[in-house]
Amino acid sequence: MSPIPGSGLAKGLAVTLRTMTRKSVTAQYPEAQPELPPRSRGVIALFDENCTVCMLCARECPDWCIYIDSHKETVPAAVPGGRERSRNVLDRFAIDFALCMYCGICIEVCPFDALFWSPEFEYAETDIRDLTHERDRLREWMWTVPAPPALDPGAEEPKEITAARKTAEKLAAAQSQEQDSQDQHSQDQDGPGRSARGDGDDRRPGQEAGE
């Protein structure tokens, strides 16, 4: 059966009329803020206390947009006669968000949890040079990082927690065994004295029987 002439045009006009009668759902930004997922990739925050200047993030970054400067300091020996040690001190940590492609590789490879995703995205600048965020500004983004999601109740226990729990159990067992050994040793020392004077004989040393 051949289609009725003009049926396609009628269907198109019907769709147009339905759309015209519906309420608009367009959110006018910035008056209406978008509801973003909590783990959105907005900006990268730095928790510089955890940074050990291992340079993994800078080496793995495909855009080479991470700049790190540091120096070495000598740490005195903790005990007399001990050996002095050296440690890296972070001087500069900057990310050029004009080059960053938000791949998240730096966050994934950081072994000390010093980098985090923040859902904040309102940091546009009129000067491209201002898109290079230095250490202090990256540290301020940490206050906008959401809390991690709760663990699945049916998930396996993390390896770090399992190892720490086993170590604590071994330490507690060793301390308990040492305490039992000390208590047994004390009983062995006090036992002969009690048995020698536990027969009801209340005589003082040097006193004859019947006195």
Side-chain angles (χ1 to χ4, degrees), residues 1 6 21 27 45-46 51 53 78 82 110 123 125 136 148 150 154 171 185 188 193 198:
M1 181 177 177
T21 56
L46 170 68
C51 183
V53 201
C110 180
Y123 50 92
E125 301 289 350
D136 294 339
L171 181 60
H185 183 66
D188 294 342

Side-chain angles (χ1 to χ4, degrees), residues 4-198:
I4 301 175
S7 60
L9 178 60
K11 290 181 180 179
L13 292 175
V15 173
T16 303
L17 290 174
R18 285 198 303 268
T19 305
M20 290 177 61
T21 56
R22 291 177 183 173
K23 184 179 179 180
S24 176
V25 294
T26 303
Q28 297 295 333
Y29 178 83
E31 288 77 11
Q33 293 290 330
E35 295 182 2
L36 299 176
R39 309 304 295 179
S40 298
R41 297 186 177 188
V43 70
I44 299 174
L46 170 68
F47 190 56
D48 52 358
E49 287 85 350
N50 286 357
C51 183
T52 60
V53 201
C54 65
M55 305 294 290
L56 274 177
C57 55
R59 288 199 297 265
E60 296 297 330
C61 177
D63 294 330
W64 294 88
C65 64
I66 300 177
Y67 313 112
I68 300 176
D69 293 331
S70 66
H71 69 277
K72 288 186 176 294
E73 286 186 355
T74 302
V75 180
V79 295
R83 181 169 59 90
E84 294 183 347
R85 298 181 181 273
S86 63
R87 66 183 181 94
N88 292 324
V89 179
L90 183 65
D91 292 330
R92 185 196 183 200
F93 194 109
I95 299 178
D96 186 357
F97 286 101
L99 298 176
C100 178
M101 65 179 185
Y102 302 90
C103 63
I105 293 178
C106 57
I107 298 176
E108 295 294 332
V109 301
C110 180
F112 301 103
D113 291 335
L115 296 173
F116 298 87
W117 278 119
S118 167
E120 297 295 324
F121 62 94
E122 296 180 314
Y123 50 92
E125 301 289 350
T126 57
D127 190 343
I128 193 173
R129 291 172 293 184
D130 295 333
L131 285 175
T132 301
H133 291 187
E134 295 292 337
R135 173 182 177 179
D136 294 339
R137 190 170 184 187
L138 294 174
R139 184 65 173 83
E140 292 176 359
W141 291 119
M142 275 301 303
W143 306 113
T144 63
V145 174
L151 297 177
D152 186 354
E156 294 183 358
E157 188 177 44
K159 295 183 294 183
E160 296 82 2
I161 297 180
T162 302
R165 178 173 51 79
K166 290 182 179 180
T167 303
E169 290 176 353
K170 290 180 181 179
L171 181 60
Q175 291 177 348
S176 177
Q177 185 177 2
E178 183 180 358
Q179 184 65 33
D180 293 342
S181 176
Q182 292 178 356
D183 294 343
Q184 184 64 33
H185 183 66
S186 300
Q187 292 177 2
D188 294 342
Q189 288 182 343
D190 297 340
R194 289 196 301 268
S195 61
R197 305 184 63 180

